[in-house]
Amino acid sequence: MDAVRLILTSRRALARGADTPEIMAEVWQAQALAQAIGSRLAVSGPPELRGEALGLIELAGRGCGALDPPELDPGDLRAAQLTELDDARETLLCLGGLLGEVGMALVGMASAAADETTYWQCMEAIDAADESRDRVREMLRKLAARQEAVPGNGNGSSPF
């Protein structure tokens, strides 16, 4: 499935999350998806994005590691459904939005946490989501610089 479509599915699921376990599961799914997108960009994306993509893999993995993994059927893991990444710029724009929403959801959960364990899990995951979003912004900056350097490219869009 296309990366943008998976991101939009994650955004909708995160917005529908009703309770802490459900929201935590969606946050974990979003971080796993960010990790998969980073992996795809590191392997087959533009060369100038590879270093940042490797950083995204590490940071998103840290975000997953901060949370208890949800009990999911293998077919429900969105990251495993990633088959296409057609437009790196569009994917990164959408992923940045998702990571921002993840951060906001985590702040809300940390504020309402009934125990210290949940609070600190949220704090660590907030940090990972924020740093992941910084990596995404840097990749977008590098893509924009690449587009400016390509002579005759007036539309500013490219799959990679």
Side-chain angles (χ1 to χ4, degrees):
M1 187 180 294
D2 179 62
V4 171
R5 196 166 152 204
L6 289 167
I7 292 167
L8 294 175
T9 299
S10 284
R11 289 177 89 166
R12 284 190 300 271
L14 183 62
R16 282 192 315 263
D19 57 12
T20 298
E22 192 175 331
I23 294 170
M24 289 285 243
E26 290 306 327
V27 166
W28 190 92
Q29 284 258 44
Q31 289 284 19
L33 183 55
Q35 194 174 25
I37 289 168
S39 180
R40 180 67 59 102
L41 288 170
V43 171
S44 60
E48 59 269 28
L49 299 186
R50 292 190 179 146
E52 296 298 330
L54 289 170
L56 178 60
I57 295 166
E58 179 183 338
L59 291 165
R62 197 176 88 209
C64 286
L67 305 171
D68 295 327
E71 292 184 25
L72 297 170
D73 291 328
D76 292 334
L77 180 60
R78 288 187 203 105
Q81 297 172 25
L82 178 64
T83 58
E84 298 174 40
L85 199 155
D86 293 332
D87 185 336
R89 183 180 176 280
E90 181 67 19
T91 298
L92 290 169
L93 284 169
C94 291
L95 183 59
L98 173 62
L99 291 168
E101 291 169 13
V102 161
M104 288 186 283
L106 287 164
V107 167
M109 287 190 329
S111 299
D115 60 90
E116 274 193 53
T117 301
T118 301
Y119 174 81
W120 286 111
Q121 282 181 324
C122 288
M123 296 309 289
E124 288 180 43
I126 289 167
D127 187 45
D130 187 47
E131 289 182 42
S132 294
R133 193 170 184 207
D134 288 345
R135 294 291 173 136
V136 167
R137 285 185 185 133
E138 183 61 19
M139 286 188 273
L140 283 166
R141 188 195 65 72
K142 287 181 178 187
L143 280 177
R146 180 181 193 215
Q147 288 300 321
E148 290 175 11
V150 175
N153 189 359
N155 67 5
S157 67
S158 167
F160 286 103

